[in-house]
């Protein structure tokens, strides 16, 4: 039975705590001590105040324990010599972004085009054209071909 003040009862707080850990309403109700966990779990998860508290608690857990796990996994991937190179590079890039390394030079690239003044747009356009030229350049086994053949395959 909810309190008149709108605050959660101790049993409801226990339910929220277990719901965050396991995401199973029936198990959370059982851990919280409800007599009929299967019916109480579903009933509690239909109450807006309980849903709000579960969401808040999940967000808090993600910011604390989840962040540590995520960063630890990124470090593990970046240091794993057996992982594919592109995966390691992406992990390292995410770590750099999270730590703020290189944030100054990346901000302009991540800024929406509508927010860029004309000078920044011109620089971004030049970088994009140069990058597209790199992508279009003929490459054989990792080395750029400086003078590509002009004829066909059998000429």
């Amino acid at each position: 039975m909810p309190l008149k003040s709108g605050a959660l009862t101790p049993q409801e707080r226990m339910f929220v705590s277990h719901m965050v850990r396991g995401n199973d309403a029936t198990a959370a109700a059982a851990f919280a001590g409800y007599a009929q966990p299967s019916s109480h779990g579903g009933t509690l998860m239909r109450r807006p105040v309980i849903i709000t508290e579960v969401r808040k608690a999940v967000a808090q857990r993600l910011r604390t324990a989840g962040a540590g796990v995520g960063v630890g996994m990124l470090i593990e991937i970046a240091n794993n010599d057996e992982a594919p190179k592109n995966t390691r590079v992406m992990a390292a890039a995410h770590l750099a972004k999270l730590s703020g390394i290189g944030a100054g030079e990346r901000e302009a690239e991540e800024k929406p085009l509508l927010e860029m003044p004309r000078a920044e747009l011109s620089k971004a356009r030049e970088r994009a054209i140069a990058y597209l030229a790199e992508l279009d350049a003929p490459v054989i086994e990792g080395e750029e071909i400086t003078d590509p053949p002009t004829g066909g395959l059998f000429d």
Side-chain angles (χ1 to χ4, degrees):
M1 182 87 175
L3 298 175
K4 289 182 182 181
S5 66
L8 299 182
T9 66
Q11 193 173 29
E12 289 169 337
R13 284 195 304 272
M14 180 74 75
F15 172 81
V16 168
S17 174
H18 285 284
M19 189 63 194
V20 169
R21 289 188 206 134
N23 197 29
D24 180 345
T26 301
F31 279 116
Y34 284 93
Q36 297 175 341
S38 57
S39 65
H40 277 95
T43 301
L44 287 165
M45 285 308 295
R46 285 191 291 277
R47 289 187 43 216
V49 68
I50 297 289
I51 294 169
T52 300
E53 289 302 315
V54 168
R55 285 183 179 159
K56 282 184 199 174
V58 165
Q60 178 62 28
R61 187 165 189 217
L62 285 173
R63 281 191 300 274
T64 55
V69 169
V71 169
M73 184 56 66
L74 285 171
I75 290 170
E76 188 176 316
I77 292 168
N79 287 326
N80 183 355
D81 292 334
E82 295 178 13
K85 194 172 195 173
N86 62 338
T87 303
R88 294 178 62 205
V89 168
M90 290 299 293
H94 284 299
L95 286 167
K97 186 176 180 178
L98 288 171
S99 68
I101 296 172
E105 62 189 49
R106 298 293 298 172
E107 286 177 14
E109 293 177 26
E110 294 176 6
K111 187 188 296 186
L113 296 176
L114 291 171
E115 295 178 9
M116 288 185 188
R118 186 173 192 77
E120 280 184 41
L121 282 170
S122 294
K123 287 180 184 176
R125 180 177 177 263
E126 290 170 14
R127 282 194 312 269
I129 289 171
Y131 181 67
L132 286 171
E134 281 181 43
L135 291 176
D136 290 340
V139 176
I140 293 180
E141 296 182 19
E143 294 185 24
E144 187 174 334
I145 301 171
T146 54
D147 192 21
T150 54
L153 182 61
F154 298 107
D155 289 341

